[in-house]
Amino acid sequence: MYAGIVSPDGKDESGGMYPSETPVAPLPLIRTSDLEAAVAAVEKAGGTIAEPPYDYPGGRRFIFTDPAGNRLGVYQPTE
């Protein structure tokens, strides 16, 4: 199950949630128009790709850990 959060313009998704039986930290997602360039930028900045790009409903995304240890994601919506 997934619950998407629609942006104020009603055209895009600005977030979403999956249910979990165990407490988990939120996963902030950063929107991009070029997922491959974002992967390269994360790696160049010292981040570690935790989950390489994959398809999900509404687009593609990847998950990374920044040099400080924060877990983040980047997504590219389907146009």
Side-chain angles (χ1 to χ4, degrees):
M1 295 177 61
Y2 175 78
I5 301 168
V6 178
S7 62
D9 66 9
K11 296 179 182 177
D12 298 310
E13 186 172 302
S14 60
M17 297 174 283
Y18 288 98
S20 176
E21 292 185 20
T22 58
V24 294
L27 177 65
L29 294 176
I30 302 161
R31 184 179 176 146
T32 185
S33 60
D34 187 340
L35 201 68
E36 285 69 29
V39 169
V42 164
E43 292 175 328
K44 184 176 180 181
T48 302
I49 305 302
E51 294 181 34
Y54 61 92
D55 294 334
Y56 76 100
R60 297 183 69 226
R61 71 178 172 191
F62 70 94
I63 297 172
F64 71 97
T65 303
D66 72 11
N70 299 300
R71 190 170 167 90
L72 304 150
V74 178
Y75 77 100
Q76 179 178 349
T78 303
E79 296 296 323

